[in-house]
Amino acid sequence: MNSQRRHVAVLGGTFDPFHNAHLRVAIELRERLGLDELRLMPSHTPPHRDRPGAQASQRLAMVRLAVADEPGLVVDDRELRRRGASYTVLSLEELRAELGPACSLSLVMGADAFAGLQSWHRWRELLTLAHLIVVDRPGFEPPVSGELHALWQGQVAPERLHEAVSGLLTVVAVPPLAISATQIRTLVGNGRSPRGLVPDAVWDYICRHRLYHGGNASPEEQIPHETLS
Ligand code: ATP
């Protein structure tokens, strides 16, 4: 056991918008796993979007507002800067190169995302680069067969992640919050308030920019470098 090893975790998502379950998961993990840093990493949204959504720069702005005062939570905008597909495996490769081989690196995902892991680009390689931290999510059950089931069966206790820099899977139960970004977009689209489900600064931003009020956002833009800093 090497408790001195630095441990950085990454929570990716479309964050359309960033909501209080994202925030709770991030804070719970930072505190319970003693993370040195938890990075929120917004990704591109699928091109076949058929619902009102925010642009990449707006989603990024909302994440930044939500975690501005939270120690240990930082925003990583690399996927929005990248041209072409923003595969998680590429981000982990970059992070591993930046953090070095001695740092524990973990990829965080909700149980729903874990259930779809086999559709991710080069998914098996994710575990050669990082640990997987799967967070319980109301309404989602563990896989019952196949490779994901086997992975799940091999889970270790969260405190054992320090024993290696990658390759382990742990499952963390956080106080369940049945909040989704879809639910928030729907509420706002129906003229209702999502207050209490999103940080106040995010709700403020949604109102100021009239996000999710109906109609489709313009296609996802590639963010120029200078608007990101
Ligand atoms: P949408 O409703 O648009 O699909 P979402 O609420 O699932 O969005 P994402 O940005 O897709 O939000 O989620 C990013 C990550 O956070 C994913 O790994 C997802 O599983 C996790 N997550 C989101 N909401 C919760 C929640 N209520 N409890 C646990 N994990 C969550």
Side-chain angles (χ1 to χ4, degrees):
M1 167 115 173
N2 179 359
S3 58
Q4 301 311 307
R5 187 176 270 150
R6 195 166 136 74
H7 190 179
V8 173
V10 183
L11 172 60
T14 50
F15 303 133
D16 191 14
F18 190 87
H19 53 65
N20 281 345
H22 296 134
L23 188 59
R24 265 326 295 167
V25 164
I27 293 172
E28 288 275 340
L29 293 180
R30 183 199 63 203
E31 291 180 343
R32 284 161 57 179
L33 302 186
L35 297 174
D36 294 286
E37 198 172 276
L38 189 139
R39 297 186 178 211
L40 287 317
M41 193 167 67
S43 59
H44 285 293
T45 50
H48 45 79
R49 175 157 66 194
D50 57 356
R51 43 141 180 96
Q55 294 193 353
S57 56
Q58 295 171 323
R59 293 185 291 109
L60 177 61
M62 289 188 278
V63 183
R64 285 196 169 135
L65 285 169
V67 303
D69 298 324
E70 276 305 323
L73 303 193
V74 295
V75 182
D76 187 322
D77 60 18
R78 73 184 63 232
E79 296 202 347
L80 300 181
R81 287 173 186 270
R82 190 180 295 140
R83 301 209 172 272
S86 64
Y87 294 121
T88 302
V89 69
L90 300 181
S91 304
L92 291 185
E93 279 174 344
E94 285 178 13
L95 279 164
R96 175 53 76 199
E98 290 164 21
L99 297 168
C103 181
S104 279
L105 176 60
S106 292
L107 177 64
V108 181
M109 62 185 68
D112 57 312
F114 180 72
L117 191 65
Q118 282 168 303
S119 66
W120 292 28
H121 186 58
R122 294 163 51 196
W123 75 271
R124 289 186 189 84
E125 288 173 59
L126 297 172
L127 274 152
T128 67
L129 296 159
H131 298 307
L132 283 192
I133 300 176
V134 182
V135 177
D136 273 356
R137 185 168 186 180
F140 294 91
E141 300 302 325
V144 290
S145 63
E147 266 186 273
L148 292 185
H149 173 70
L151 251 181
W152 186 274
Q153 292 295 97
Q155 68 181 265
V156 300
E159 50 279 9
R160 287 193 50 202
L161 292 186
H162 275 295
E163 293 175 7
V165 296
S166 63
L168 300 173
L169 177 139
T170 195
V171 181
V172 179
V174 301
L177 285 172
I179 303 175
S180 73
T182 304
Q183 169 197 15
I184 289 154
R185 293 191 301 271
T186 305
L187 279 175
V188 178
N190 291 334
R192 296 180 52 200
S193 168
R195 220 184 162 85
L197 302 176
V198 293
D200 283 345
V202 169
W203 176 223
D204 214 52
Y205 187 94
I206 291 171
C207 293
R208 272 190 289 122
H209 295 265
R210 287 198 53 76
L211 301 180
Y212 314 121
H213 283 75
N216 285 317
S218 40
E220 185 88 340
E221 87 277 47
Q222 175 73 44
I223 301 185
H225 262 231
E226 58 276 15
T227 61
L228 288 168
S229 37

